[in-house]
Amino acid sequence: MRNYLLALSCCMALSCCTQVKVSEVYTAAAENSLRAPAVPLVTIDPYTSAWSFADQLNDESVRHWTGRDYPLLGGIRVDGKSYRFMGMDDIQVTSVIGMASDGLWEADYTMSQPAGDWFAEAYDPKSWKRGKAAFGTEDNPNRSTPWSTGDIWVRRTFDWPSDEQKDALYLQYSHDDNIEVYLNGKQIAVAGNGLDYDLLKEIPEAVAESLKPTGNVLAAHCRNNGGGAYVDMGIMRKVKRGDTFDEKAIQKSMNVMPTQTFYTFECGGVSLDLIFTAPFLLNDLEAMTSPFNYITYQVRSIDGKDHDVQLYMEATPQWAVNTIDQEVTFEKTETPDLIYLKTGTIDQEVLAKTGDDVRIDWGYFYLAIPKKPGVSATIDEYYATKKAFMTTGNLPAGSQSLSSDMREQMTVLAYTDPIGKVSKETVSGHLMIGYDDLYSIQYFQDNRMPYWKHDGKVDIHQAFEKGEASYEDLMRRCGSFDSSLMSETSAVGGKKYAELCAIAYRQAIAAHKLVTDKEGTLLFLSKENFSNGSIGTVDITYPSAPLFLVYNTDLLKGMMNPIFYYSESGQWKKPFPAHDVGTYPVANGQTYGGDMPVEESGNMLVLATAIAIVDGNADYAAQHWEVLTTWANYLLKEGLDPKNQLCTDDFAGHFAHNTNLSIKAIMGVAGYGKLAEMLGKADIARQYTEVAREMAAKWVKMANDGDHYRLTFDKPGTWSQKYNLVWDRLLGLNIFPKEVAATEMAYYKTKQNKYGLPLDNREDYTKSDWILWSACLTGSMEDFNALMVPVWNYANETTSRVPLSDWHFTSDGTQRGFQARSVVGGYFMKMLEKKLGK
């Protein structure tokens, strides 16, 4: 089964031969040495979001942030020889060392942490148990040995058949959740949170050569993060055929900037640059909400010779379906300037699906290709396009009888650029890859179009035409923005901090969708990616806020507007804010199963205060003064010593007397006092500010545990990160004694693990966004680096290859849960500190 769609009808196709034009060369603004856990490629919104989960772009299929295949394949033909530079073919394999479905296999296993190099060939698992594969919960296929909690280590020994070659070998594996796999002591695969069956990962030639007649070991460690659990693994051989790319281009570099990702490949005697650009310029909402990204390619000779070059890209209809069993349509159209390849589902059930692990299945996916001499684009059968390109450098004419069922026949949207003779001067091209979702959000029973459509005044073709006309300008502006962001973040937090911000930037923005209500009010709605799928969640807005406070407070207001409306319209009647306004993409009211009274009240008040400080006026708060007053009074009554309830760290469960939650309540009350002062309400300002100081004084006495402050008021010997305290200094509230932050910071330094500061004393895991807030508690650069650098190490070294997870284990750096969430916008707290002059 294949799950494809987008096929990047790729790049612009410059001209042929004598008409090839040397173009402007685009380069990265800086060098990012951080190895991102997953690399952003196409980032438009929570649905159209494609990533590389591997170090090499051509090691694996391009994937949606949820982990499903979003195939995007790229090939280049140099002097008649073809190389694959992006994605992986849908290959056929045959079993050599079979999976459980081929017949039960036995292995040594343990569910207790083994000592030493448990994955090494010479390791003796004498204390381990023996069991039949597969291992996992009963709801999985071919499960023989039960495993449902904690971790499992599995060692499978096998002989290598004497008549088997060692080339074109692939690991096939199934996992739930985090897994790492080794062959004869060498790591060959890692995968992050979630369930996947029958994944394929090419075994490097050097590792395959270690296979011997007897004594080979496939070893795996899998961590169950909750729910189902599963482990199965075997070795397959690729069935070679003449219509897939066997030869891989050599990736020389990869560089993630805030709005762009750069790759460089060596292919024969030429160098190929591939640039993915999302025009996420937060001061330009038209550009930021564009329904497309650019893919640029640049080719030049590197051996002093001229080379004949053709370039190929493809995507599949998997970009426009939730599951591969949905039937699709295809269409190729042209305008004077662009060629369009289009695909989408037949059913077109607009805004019919809600949830977390889902992909869009309404609207249409597009490749928009600038017309140039010789450019060719077609919609055809999966293998026919590649075979024609590798044989002739061209595409087939296009089939007239394509199946709508991808299970029966996979179809591709394919593009070629017959670049022609390439010398030392760079030749480039580009294309646009995008999505028209028709309607984006249902907002209190009203279906709303995406912002860029302006209530239907702009259609997708006009958007692409504008994008083509703006290509050079937007490429320059994105490059300039990347340069300034990297320079500014380096200046305030150092190179490693800048690199963290670079990999967080697109992820944070792409987890939102911008629409307006009937009155034109901005609604910037987040999706809780892999945490429950809620839309417009207040305690997702709160940690995300620093990025938007730095670059555009209107977007933060757009996050808060739905919550204000929900209360002010009378639809939400409780004296504290709702947790959310629905389940993405339907925003008709809270669907989360519980309330977070103190949490969400404090969040809304603190953020309203932060907006006022950044804007230099409290006009936004004045618009919502009545409901802000209700929430402030709730915190006066309930905030100092919170009852048994959830906070934003709801994965830790309900608990009472939460000292960090109490700080948030005090910050909310103090913030309300600050807002009153800015609005000229002097009496109210004095009243609430004084009460906040009294609450803070009581807090210090109640939470004091000697050299630190407690997790809960009633439990001595406990501790937690007090990340909410950061606002006291940054917003100039000055409610708590400075010694509180200094005491906490000194204690944190004694509790750090290799990959960061745990959230509190109860668990090994942490939230990296909160660490970056805690790192700013004192304003000391030494303190900041002490907490920030382990987070950089986590991002750089984690074996959980998914779009950056904000919830990880601090001892081994593996993902605990969550991925691709907007909360990494919280990494910009140090930048906000600079903006506020602190």
Side-chain angles (χ1 to χ4, degrees):
M1 291 175 62
R2 319 176 206 118
N3 236 340
Y4 304 120
L5 167 311
L6 192 220
L8 221 211
S9 137
C10 181
C11 319
M12 154 180 142
L14 286 197
S15 54
C16 343
C17 243
T18 58
Q19 292 182 320
V20 167
K21 181 181 178 181
V22 177
S23 301
E24 180 176 351
V25 178
Y26 298 105
T27 58
E31 180 182 353
N32 190 339
S33 60
L34 190 161
R35 182 233 60 183
V39 179
L41 303 179
V42 179
T43 51
I44 295 175
D45 60 25
Y47 283 135
T48 307
S49 179
W51 302 67
S52 171
F53 284 37
D55 288 332
Q56 309 293 315
L57 184 59
N58 52 10
D59 266 0
E60 296 181 359
S61 177
V62 172
R63 303 194 207 180
H64 189 265
W65 69 259
T66 59
R68 296 290 184 94
D69 283 352
Y70 258 31
L72 197 55
L73 189 71
I76 188 169
R77 193 169 182 264
V78 181
D79 300 325
K81 184 174 182 179
S82 296
Y83 304 84
R84 173 170 48 85
F85 59 83
M86 176 169 60
M88 188 171 75
D89 298 276
D90 181 33
I91 61 174
Q92 293 181 351
V93 294
T94 184
S95 175
V96 181
I97 306 298
M99 302 271 282
S101 58
D102 298 316
L104 301 182
W105 50 271
E106 289 192 347
D108 298 306
Y109 72 95
T110 180
M111 297 179 192
S112 301
Q113 174 72 55
D117 294 334
W118 56 271
F119 49 83
E121 296 170 77
Y123 184 84
D124 183 3
K126 58 185 177 182
S127 63
W128 296 25
K129 297 180 180 178
R130 189 79 176 163
K132 294 183 183 296
F135 302 83
T137 46
E138 62 182 357
D139 52 330
N140 285 293
N142 308 304
R143 191 272 292 200
S144 293
T145 300
W147 166 58
S148 61
T149 60
D151 298 63
I152 190 170
W153 290 262
V154 179
R155 287 175 55 90
R156 179 182 186 182
T157 57
F158 62 93
D159 298 334
W160 188 251
S162 59
D163 58 345
E164 281 289 345
Q165 300 300 310
K166 299 177 183 177
D167 62 332
L169 297 181
Y170 285 77
L171 170 73
Q172 189 172 54
Y173 63 110
S174 300
H175 73 99
D176 187 3
D177 291 292
N178 301 340
I179 193 171
E180 52 183 329
V181 185
Y182 298 79
L183 175 59
N184 289 344
K186 303 294 185 182
Q187 187 178 86
I188 55 173
V190 292
N193 199 51
L195 167 63
D196 279 299
Y197 293 119
D198 300 330
L199 294 175
L200 288 172
K201 183 68 181 290
E202 186 174 5
I203 298 174
E205 291 182 11
V207 180
E209 284 300 319
S210 72
L211 290 166
K212 46 190 183 288
T214 62
N216 300 290
V217 178
L218 264 179
H221 166 220
C222 194
R223 168 171 282 161
N224 175 26
N225 289 330
Y230 197 56
V231 176
D232 192 7
M233 56 189 174
I235 296 177
M236 309 290 143
R237 172 185 300 286
K238 178 180 179 179
V239 177
K240 290 194 174 183
R241 43 191 299 169
D243 46 15
T244 59
F245 290 95
D246 285 325
E247 191 79 15
K248 293 169 63 177
I250 300 171
Q251 183 175 308
K252 305 300 289 186
S253 66
M254 183 273 291
N255 201 3
V256 179
M257 290 289 100
T259 67
Q260 299 181 294
T261 296
F262 295 79
Y263 286 96
T264 298
F265 301 90
E266 186 176 308
C267 325
V270 305
S271 177
L272 166 68
D273 298 327
L274 194 65
I275 309 168
F276 298 88
T277 303
F280 278 167
L281 303 171
L282 298 189
N283 63 349
D284 182 347
L285 298 187
E286 290 293 329
M288 188 201 84
T289 61
S290 298
F292 56 80
N293 280 187
Y294 298 109
I295 301 177
T296 301
Y297 53 90
Q298 304 178 148
V299 187
R300 62 191 176 279
S301 173
I302 54 175
D303 63 1
K305 301 176 183 179
D306 290 346
H307 296 279
D308 186 48
V309 177
Q310 299 86 39
L311 188 131
Y312 171 95
M313 291 196 204
E314 71 173 26
T316 76
Q318 287 161 281
W319 282 69
V321 300
N322 180 45
T323 55
I324 199 171
D325 58 343
Q326 294 177 279
E327 293 190 84
V328 292
T329 63
F330 315 93
E331 184 180 16
K332 176 182 176 182
T333 59
E334 297 187 24
T335 63
D337 299 317
L338 295 169
I339 303 170
Y340 295 98
L341 300 179
K342 170 186 176 183
T343 187
T345 57
I346 289 176
D347 290 341
Q348 287 297 306
E349 296 179 339
V350 178
L351 294 170
K353 284 188 175 67
T354 63
D356 199 351
D357 188 7
V358 295
R359 287 140 297 278
I360 193 168
D361 60 2
W362 68 89
Y364 298 93
F365 167 78
Y366 286 85
L367 294 179
I369 303 148
K371 284 186 174 179
K372 298 290 180 181
V375 161
S376 176
T378 191
I379 300 172
D380 207 334
E381 190 272 331
Y382 185 84
Y383 296 107
T385 54
K386 286 176 277 294
K387 184 175 183 179
F389 174 77
M390 288 187 285
T391 303
T392 68
N394 299 311
L395 293 176
S399 174
Q400 300 300 311
S401 57
L402 296 173
S403 173
S404 62
D405 188 341
M406 287 180 281
R407 298 168 300 177
E408 177 182 297
Q409 178 194 68
M410 182 58 71
T411 300
V412 296
L413 291 68
Y415 158 85
T416 59
D417 177 359
I419 296 172
K421 295 297 180 184
V422 172
S423 62
K424 65 179 180 179
E425 295 180 316
T426 296
V427 179
S428 68
H430 72 270
L431 88 163
M432 291 172 284
I433 182 169
Y435 208 99
D436 180 6
D437 56 1
L438 306 180
Y439 288 91
S440 301
I441 302 293
Q442 184 173 108
Y443 184 67
F444 292 98
Q445 312 303 325
D446 181 27
N447 289 354
R448 303 305 301 165
M449 292 181 178
Y451 179 87
W452 63 267
K453 283 196 170 185
H454 297 289
D455 288 328
K457 295 182 180 67
V458 177
D459 65 27
I460 189 66
H461 293 96
Q462 291 169 318
F464 276 124
E465 288 165 7
K466 182 179 179 181
E468 174 58 20
S470 304
Y471 168 72
E472 291 183 0
D473 177 59
L474 283 174
M475 288 293 288
R476 281 192 289 268
R477 289 170 62 195
C478 285
S480 177
F481 173 77
D482 289 350
S483 179
S484 64
L485 188 150
M486 297 302 289
S487 176
E488 290 168 9
T489 49
S490 293
V492 302
K495 185 175 186 294
K496 289 186 174 180
Y497 175 62
E499 292 172 342
L500 279 172
C501 289
I503 69 168
Y505 184 83
R506 265 176 286 171
Q507 175 173 316
I509 299 167
H512 294 83
K513 189 72 176 184
L514 186 67
V515 299
T516 61
D517 66 13
K518 291 178 180 178
E519 287 71 42
T521 304
L522 288 181
L523 308 170
F524 195 43
L525 291 152
S526 62
K527 180 178 185 293
E528 277 203 59
N529 291 340
F530 270 14
S531 53
N532 75 5
S534 291
I535 186 171
T537 305
V538 179
D539 58 289
I540 293 295
T541 294
Y542 179 69
S544 308
L547 170 63
F548 303 100
L549 285 165
V550 170
Y551 292 109
N552 189 342
T553 59
D554 285 344
L555 291 171
L556 180 54
K557 295 169 190 175
M559 296 184 218
M560 299 168 68
N561 286 336
I563 299 297
F564 279 126
Y565 171 78
Y566 196 16
S567 285
E568 291 166 347
S569 67
Q571 297 176 68
W572 178 260
K573 302 181 185 301
K574 298 178 183 179
F576 47 81
H579 167 270
D580 60 78
V581 289
T583 302
Y584 200 93
V586 175
N588 290 335
Q590 179 171 308
T591 52
Y592 188 68
D595 295 330
M596 299 184 186
V598 172
E599 173 71 35
E600 312 301 21
S601 298
N603 289 340
M604 292 294 286
L605 281 155
V606 167
L607 294 181
T609 308
I611 288 170
I613 299 297
V614 172
D615 285 355
N617 64 74
D619 294 351
Y620 183 65
Q623 297 171 29
H624 305 288
W625 193 249
E626 183 177 347
V627 72
L628 286 171
T629 301
T630 298
W631 297 339
N633 288 336
Y634 181 84
L635 293 180
L636 281 179
K637 180 181 178 183
E638 304 288 348
L640 176 59
D641 189 4
K643 296 176 182 177
N644 188 38
Q645 61 186 268
L646 292 172
C647 69
T648 184
D649 305 316
D650 53 353
F651 46 82
H654 290 75
F655 64 105
H657 317 299
N658 183 339
T659 60
N660 189 45
L661 186 57
S662 176
I663 292 175
K664 180 171 290 184
I666 298 168
M667 292 295 95
V669 173
Y672 181 79
K674 185 75 170 181
L675 292 169
E677 177 188 334
M678 295 178 72
L679 291 171
K681 302 177 186 292
D683 290 344
I684 294 175
R686 282 192 297 272
Q687 176 189 350
Y688 282 82
T689 301
E690 183 57 34
V691 170
R693 293 190 190 282
E694 293 172 1
M695 293 171 74
K698 292 177 181 177
W699 185 97
V700 171
K701 294 179 180 179
M702 294 163 62
N704 196 322
D705 209 39
D707 59 354
H708 68 281
Y709 296 89
R710 301 173 183 177
L711 166 67
T712 62
F713 292 122
D714 61 330
K715 292 183 180 179
T718 61
W719 68 274
S720 64
Q721 289 189 46
K722 308 301 189 299
Y723 52 82
N724 288 315
L725 186 61
V726 70
W727 298 110
D728 194 38
R729 185 173 66 85
L730 264 59
L731 298 181
L733 302 175
N734 301 317
I735 299 299
F736 282 83
K738 292 182 179 180
E739 294 76 25
V740 173
T743 298
E744 282 288 288
M745 182 62 71
Y747 191 76
Y748 295 162
K749 292 179 183 179
T750 72
K751 294 297 180 180
Q752 289 211 97
N753 290 324
K754 181 178 180 180
Y755 295 111
L757 177 66
L759 189 61
D760 56 51
N761 61 271
R762 295 172 295 173
E763 295 280 356
D764 172 54
Y765 59 59
T766 194
K767 292 282 274 80
S768 57
D769 48 336
W770 298 146
I771 292 179
L772 269 293
W773 288 34
S774 294
C776 296
L777 283 179
T778 64
S780 160
M781 196 62 201
E782 179 183 352
D783 290 342
F784 177 78
N785 281 326
L787 270 62
M788 179 274 294
V789 171
V791 175
W792 186 95
N793 291 335
Y794 150 68
N796 189 57
E797 298 174 13
T798 179
T799 57
S800 300
R801 305 307 299 273
V802 298
L804 190 61
S805 170
D806 53 285
W807 186 21
H808 72 270
F809 292 99
T810 59
S811 56
D812 64 10
T814 58
Q815 173 190 25
R816 173 59 183 87
F818 308 159
Q819 63 197 51
R821 300 207 310 167
S822 66
V823 301
V824 295
Y827 287 14
F828 285 78
M829 184 61 84
K830 190 69 174 174
M831 280 286 284
L832 180 59
E833 176 186 80
K834 173 68 180 309
K835 186 180 184 75
L836 295 174
K838 302 298 180 179

